[in-house]
Amino acid sequence: DAKTTQPPSMDCAEGRAANLPCNHSTISGNEYVYWYRQIHSQGPQYIIHGLKNNETNEMASLIITEDRKSSTLILPHATLRDTAVYYCIVRVVGRGSTLGRLYFGRGTQLTVWP
Amino acid sequence: KAGVTQTPRYLIKTRGQQVTLSCSPISGHRSVSWYQQTPGQGLQFLFEYFSETQRNKGNFPGRFSGRQFSNSRSEMNVSTLELGDSALYLCASSTGTGGYEQYFGPGTRLTVT
């Protein structure tokens, strides 16, 4: 699975959009971008994933650049409860997949302040 | 739908002892993966079970083992505990097919003294 690079920390004012970047310049054609987050001392929580089109769900939006070398997770109206470590993971889905194995890096510590 | 449950939530053991942790996946999920999380190493994959078979294994010594039952519940065992085994142990369940989104339990906090 391709390696990702994320800033170690970011902060955001409550109510504003939080934009978390991820660089995955070595991504290959059959690799998807996944985002998870981990609130302190809890298990990681799946947020969203995508291949090349932008994706949106009730939690967040995922914007993937046209060359797929980077992506941005957007939390449109951050709340204090969004304070967490956010992990960007790139992985193969389907043939050649690592199946149940996720490679977590260090992620980005997002702090939302009031 | 109930989430992933792990028992016990907290555990204190002594060096040299063994421990068994339990994970009940989301109903209908057939894959269970286990991870170890420490401040120094972060989240590291231990192994994955699917339909009672181990189909993926991380780089951990043989003291770490697991199994899965026919109802998809899984257990992991650590024998001859070392101080360095103190960690948060997380399990994640998934359907085992398709996008493979994993849903994590709250973890078991193991302290070895």
Side-chain angles (χ1 to χ4, degrees):
Chain A
D1 292 342
K3 196 172 174 182
T4 62
T5 304
Q6 299 178 254
S9 64
M10 294 183 65
D11 58 21
C12 173
E14 190 175 22
R16 305 295 294 268
N19 298 288
L20 294 100
C22 179
N23 182 287
H24 32 78
S25 58
T26 59
I27 193 170
S28 57
N30 62 346
E31 289 182 307
Y32 285 64
V33 180
Y34 281 72
W35 284 83
Y36 285 77
R37 73 179 182 184
Q38 186 174 26
I39 296 169
H40 183 62
S41 294
Q42 296 182 23
Q45 178 188 22
Y46 165 78
I47 302 174
I48 198 167
H49 75 280
L51 181 62
K52 50 185 171 182
N53 298 321
N54 298 338
E55 303 287 345
T56 296
N57 63 20
E58 64 279 2
M59 287 183 68
S61 294
L62 173 61
I63 308 296
I64 303 174
T65 57
E66 195 168 337
D67 63 6
R68 303 209 320 122
K69 293 182 186 299
S70 66
S71 60
T72 301
L73 179 74
I74 301 172
L75 308 178
H77 306 286
T79 71
L80 300 179
R81 287 178 297 177
D82 292 322
T83 292
V85 178
Y86 287 76
Y87 297 97
C88 170
I89 297 167
V90 174
R91 63 180 309 221
V92 174
V93 173
R95 193 178 191 83
S97 169
T98 56
L99 304 171
R101 179 176 194 160
L102 294 176
Y103 292 88
F104 287 87
R106 289 297 182 175
T108 296
Q109 170 66 58
L110 173 69
T111 301
V112 181
W113 45 275
Chain B
K1 217 179 208 183
V4 179
T5 57
Q6 292 187 245
T7 56
R9 292 292 312 280
Y10 302 92
L11 207 48
I12 300 175
K13 289 286 189 179
T14 304
R15 267 182 304 176
Q17 288 186 313
Q18 70 149 14
V19 66
T20 299
L21 312 181
S22 179
C23 173
S24 292
I26 292 170
S27 177
H29 284 190
R30 295 163 63 192
S31 165
V32 173
S33 296
W34 288 89
Y35 293 81
Q36 181 196 65
Q37 185 171 29
T38 60
Q41 299 298 319
L43 273 155
Q44 292 189 290
F45 173 80
L46 280 156
F47 31 65
E48 179 204 3
Y49 285 86
F50 180 81
S51 292
E52 302 179 65
T53 301
Q54 186 185 88
R55 69 173 178 181
N56 228 329
K57 190 176 186 309
N59 297 323
F60 278 82
R63 300 185 297 106
F64 292 82
S65 63
R67 60 178 176 168
Q68 187 180 35
F69 302 95
S70 58
N71 62 358
S72 293
R73 190 177 70 85
S74 177
E75 289 181 346
M76 67 162 282
N77 183 277
V78 188
S79 62
T80 320
L81 283 165
E82 301 176 0
L83 294 179
D85 297 333
S86 294
L88 181 66
Y89 289 88
L90 293 153
C91 84
S93 86
S94 167
T95 59
T97 60
Y100 237 103
E101 299 89 272
Q102 293 192 337
Y103 298 88
F104 285 78
T108 294
R109 172 76 61 187
L110 172 65
T111 302
V112 182
T113 62

